[in-house]
C-alpha cells in the first residue's frame, strides 16, 4: 500500500526531558563520565538545539524508502571530532521469522 517502516536510533540527546529519567544527584555524578566517553564513542552526547548534527530521522526522511533495508537499524552517530553520520547496523532478526510475522499480521488485518 506504499507504507514503509524503518527502525532508527536517535542517539543520546541531553535535554530537560532526559533529566526526569533519573534523580538529579545521579545526573550530577554521571555527566562528567558521559562527557569523557562521548569523545571516544560513536554515539556522541549532542546538544538538542544548535547542533550541526543531522539525526537518523532527518537522514531517513530524505531517502527513498523502497531502497532501504527493512532489517537494518539506522543509528545517529558523531565522531570524536564532531562529524555527524548515520550508521546502518543489521538487526539480529531471523528473516524467515520476520516474514512469518508479516504474513500473520496480514491475516489478522483481513479478519
Amino acid at each position: 500500500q506504499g507504507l514503509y517502516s524503518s527502525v532508527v536510533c536517535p542517539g543520546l540527546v541531553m535535554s530537560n526531558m532526559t533529566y526526569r529519567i533519573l534523580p538529579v544527584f545521579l545526573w550530577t555524578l554521571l555527566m562528567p563520565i558521559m562527557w569523557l566517553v562521548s569523545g571516544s564513542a560513536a554515539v556522541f552526547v549532542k546538544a538538542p538545539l544548535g547542533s550541526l548534527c543531522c539525526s537518523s530521522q532527518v537522514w531517513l526522511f530524505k531517502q527513498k524508502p523502497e531502497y532501504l533495508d527493512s532489517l537494518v537499524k539506522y543509528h545517529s552517530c558523531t565522531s570524536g571530532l564532531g562529524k555527524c553520520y548515520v550508521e546502518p547496523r543489521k538487526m539480529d532478526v531471523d528473516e524467515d521469522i520476520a516474514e512469518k510475522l508479516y504474513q500473520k499480521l496480514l491475516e489478522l488485518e483481513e479478519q
Side-chain angles (χ1 to χ4, degrees):
Q1 297 179 358
L3 296 175
Y4 296 91
S5 176
S6 295
V7 180
V8 296
C9 175
L12 178 60
V13 178
M14 299 305 293
S15 71
N16 60 347
M17 293 188 321
T18 310
Y19 288 111
R20 296 182 183 150
I21 296 171
L22 295 172
V24 175
F25 78 91
L26 280 176
W27 282 117
T28 305
L29 296 172
L30 290 174
M31 282 308 292
I33 296 168
M34 292 178 78
W35 283 108
L36 286 172
V37 170
S38 69
S40 61
V43 178
F44 194 74
V45 179
K46 298 184 285 189
L49 297 173
S51 175
L52 298 175
C53 300
C54 291
S55 67
S56 53
Q57 294 92 333
V58 174
W59 177 86
L60 196 63
F61 176 76
K62 294 179 178 183
Q63 306 306 307
K64 292 190 181 284
E66 57 271 15
Y67 296 122
L68 295 171
D69 186 351
S70 61
L71 297 175
V72 166
K73 182 176 184 180
Y74 298 94
H75 291 260
S76 294
C77 300
T78 307
S79 70
L81 299 175
K83 182 178 184 284
C84 301
Y85 61 97
V86 174
E87 182 178 283
R89 297 180 191 162
K90 195 83 167 165
M91 291 187 290
D92 188 21
V93 177
D94 184 279
E95 293 184 36
D96 293 333
I97 293 174
E99 183 62 32
K100 288 177 186 176
L101 175 63
Y102 178 70
Q103 294 303 322
K104 184 65 176 175
L105 289 172
L106 291 177
E107 291 172 18
L108 290 172
E109 182 182 42
E110 289 176 5
Q111 294 177 3

